[in-house]
Amino acid sequence: MKTEYIILKEAVLNNNCPECYSKESLLLSFKQRRQFSKFFSKTRGEIIESMDCKKCETTIFPGRWTDDIERVYNYHKKTINSIPSGIRFTRSFYLLILIAIILTAALYIFLNHPELFQQ
Ligand SMILES: [Zn+2]
């Protein structure tokens, strides 16, 4: 299974980075994880939040947040529309089901009406 991340929201904050003090370098992102294979994809309900400074390339963990950062974070968090968790089947999956139905139907006809297949 492959994993991809769906970005729900990304925002560059106006706040100073607690590590390098540069402005407009903090990137707050909200993501959801989706795993997929040939036949289905599965979305996880859990939202992965992260804050990274693009300047000093540090991940800013909540313990390092200032009150201002926390306020901005809470504001953005409220605007997030998460994707419901669940499984979605792909076109290949439905194609496989269709082929199975056709084969079953063919087998059924063959077993019940063998005369149709005789010359
Ligand atoms: Zn920084």
Side-chain angles (χ1 to χ4, degrees):
M1 295 240 286
K2 288 180 197 156
T3 301
E4 65 174 10
Y5 290 92
I6 309 154
I7 296 171
L8 302 173
K9 184 167 195 178
E10 264 187 346
V12 176
L13 310 187
N14 268 322
N15 309 61
N16 291 73
C17 168
E19 299 295 336
C20 69
Y21 305 103
S22 60
K23 248 189 170 247
E24 291 176 8
S25 67
L26 291 177
L27 181 72
L28 173 64
S29 63
F30 296 90
K31 293 174 202 158
Q32 263 178 282
R33 187 159 54 199
R34 176 183 281 164
Q35 289 176 302
F36 58 98
S37 66
K38 203 169 166 44
F39 297 120
F40 66 90
S41 70
K42 190 175 159 193
T43 306
R44 302 258 194 143
E46 160 207 17
I47 294 172
I48 301 158
E49 305 160 349
S50 65
M51 195 180 299
D52 298 282
C53 175
K54 293 185 291 175
K55 206 78 166 242
C56 63
E57 294 180 347
T58 310
T59 300
I60 315 295
F61 292 102
R64 296 284 293 144
W65 293 1
T66 62
D67 289 349
D68 277 339
I69 293 177
E70 190 137 1
R71 209 168 300 141
V72 177
Y73 159 81
N74 283 327
Y75 163 76
H76 284 294
K77 196 186 165 79
K78 274 183 209 141
T79 66
I80 300 297
N81 288 314
S82 65
I83 299 164
S85 63
I87 290 180
R88 275 184 72 137
F89 295 103
T90 63
R91 208 173 283 179
S92 306
F93 176 83
Y94 290 111
L95 198 66
L96 198 74
I97 296 290
L98 192 68
I99 291 167
I101 291 169
I102 292 167
L103 286 178
T104 308
L107 190 68
Y108 179 84
I109 294 168
F110 177 73
L111 291 175
N112 290 284
H113 305 280
E115 71 279 2
L116 291 175
F117 292 89
Q118 282 160 7
Q119 289 288 316

